[in-house]
Amino acid sequence: MAGCFSFSSTLDSCYRYYFSRAGLKSITTDFGDGTIIHCWAPKTRRESKPNLLLLHGFGANAMWQWNEFISRLIRFFNVYVPDLLFFGNSYTTRLERSVSFQALCMMHLMDSFEVRTMNVVGISYGGFVTYSMADQFPERLERLVLCCAGVCLEERDMAAGMFVVKNVDEAASILLPQTPAKLKELLRLTFVKPARILPTCIMDDFIDVMCTEYKQEKEELIKEILKDRNLSTLPKINKPTLILWGEQDRVFPLELAHRLKRYFQKPFNLLSY
């Protein structure tokens, strides 16, 4: 759709305007090792407020996933909203695709802002990164919120039929849709009430703007999540944690929330909606 009106690009520009109006500024940080992270950070950081890091899941960039919450959260927190690697304007030339590397990059980012301690909310894939941050840097994290983050899944769960997809390649084809049909499938999986009518031109535009860049790298991120994953090797974290889940979640079924709650030695808060 080059040279034509782009609904997705226009909406992306609107989100940038909203974030700026809310008191955030767009910052790009170069780590000097081939890794560049983009983040929305406070224009004015207030020491009286706690720090809050919001980590998105698969899909469009961070703005699309957190826009509805920014104006309410920014009243109580110094809010930081980064794009994870290979989303938005963040990328790396390094070959690491692990969640632990994403977590390390997020902590380097917060170091660049001179933020010592923080609360972290992670949704879906961002929850995996949040969990890894709590494992690697327990002294830096205060509280966690894990939203629909299947961190306790095991590699055998897919073969056992827990998910609607049969293998990782099928999951990647839906999470990284390249056709309107696959995008519709993704919407059916991620929304309880998906849009009934969505013009093909709008879907084509969204795919062109949001789903084509770094496709191979994102596929590698998905495969890395499941590779050799076993509950017995999942580190246990000791931080106040809220587990937030959708009762009708079809990407990471609710059973994974109960499994995660059982996994911890002491009770954690579990809220399903």
Side-chain angles (χ1 to χ4, degrees):
M1 295 187 68
C4 299
F5 171 79
S6 169
F7 178 82
S8 298
S9 295
T10 300
L11 189 56
D12 200 66
S13 297
C14 289
Y15 287 150
R16 288 182 174 276
Y17 173 76
Y18 296 152
F19 271 55
S20 181
R21 281 290 301 271
L24 301 178
K25 58 183 177 181
S26 175
I27 299 177
T28 300
T29 303
D30 188 340
F31 293 165
D33 64 350
T35 302
I36 292 178
I37 300 291
H38 171 263
C39 181
W40 288 93
K43 292 179 180 177
T44 302
R45 179 180 161 195
R46 301 187 184 279
E47 295 297 332
S48 60
K49 290 183 178 181
N51 302 306
L52 178 63
L53 177 64
L54 302 177
L55 300 182
H56 63 84
F58 265 78
N61 61 48
M63 293 186 299
W64 288 60
Q65 300 187 39
W66 294 113
N67 178 65
E68 291 187 29
F69 309 98
I70 291 301
S71 61
R72 283 166 282 184
L73 292 173
I74 208 166
R75 290 183 292 171
F76 306 103
F77 299 93
N78 295 311
V79 177
Y80 297 83
V81 191
D83 289 318
L84 293 171
L85 289 173
F86 303 119
F87 296 88
N89 294 318
S90 298
Y91 66 91
T92 184
T93 58
R94 297 176 61 171
L95 299 179
E96 288 91 340
R97 300 292 183 263
S98 67
V99 167
S100 60
F101 181 64
Q102 292 268 20
L104 181 63
C105 289
M106 291 301 103
M107 194 55 72
H108 283 340
L109 175 70
M110 299 307 282
D111 286 341
S112 72
F113 294 134
E114 299 183 348
V115 174
R116 176 62 186 169
T117 59
M118 68 210 75
N119 304 281
V120 187
V121 180
I123 182 170
S124 194
Y125 179 69
F128 285 77
V129 180
T130 299
Y131 198 96
S132 183
M133 291 180 70
D135 174 47
Q136 295 185 66
F137 311 100
E139 74 286 355
R140 304 284 299 275
L141 272 63
E142 297 175 340
R143 293 177 176 83
L144 316 178
V145 180
L146 301 175
C147 305
C148 306
V151 296
C152 58
L153 66 84
E154 297 186 289
E155 189 171 14
R156 62 184 179 181
D157 287 333
M158 188 165 288
M162 174 177 283
F163 304 100
V164 296
V165 295
K166 297 180 176 61
N167 53 60
V168 177
D169 289 335
E170 186 179 352
S173 73
I174 298 173
L175 291 173
L176 305 172
Q178 300 299 301
T179 66
K182 285 296 182 182
L183 181 54
K184 285 183 179 179
E185 194 171 350
L186 176 61
L187 293 174
R188 287 194 295 268
L189 284 177
T190 53
F191 287 87
V192 175
K193 297 180 179 179
R196 293 184 179 181
I197 300 175
L198 197 57
T200 300
C201 61
I202 297 294
M203 290 189 287
D204 281 334
D205 176 60
F206 179 84
I207 291 169
D208 181 55
V209 174
M210 294 293 172
C211 303
T212 55
E213 192 172 25
Y214 300 122
K215 179 178 178 291
Q216 179 180 336
E217 290 83 354
K218 289 176 181 176
E219 288 176 348
E220 292 168 357
L221 294 180
I222 293 171
K223 292 177 180 178
E224 189 66 29
I225 293 174
L226 202 61
K227 183 180 178 182
D228 300 325
R229 197 168 191 93
N230 193 295
L231 190 61
S232 63
T233 60
L234 181 69
K236 289 187 177 181
I237 58 176
N238 187 27
K239 291 291 177 181
T241 302
L242 173 65
I243 303 172
L244 183 64
W245 223 276
E247 289 185 352
Q248 300 182 56
D249 194 324
R250 299 178 67 194
V251 177
F252 291 119
L254 184 60
E255 165 56 28
L256 291 175
H258 294 292
R259 182 189 292 179
L260 181 60
K261 187 172 184 288
R262 292 192 300 266
Y263 183 68
F264 292 113
Q265 291 179 339
K266 63 178 183 179
F268 273 35
N269 293 323
L270 171 60
L271 176 62
S272 61
Y273 59 92

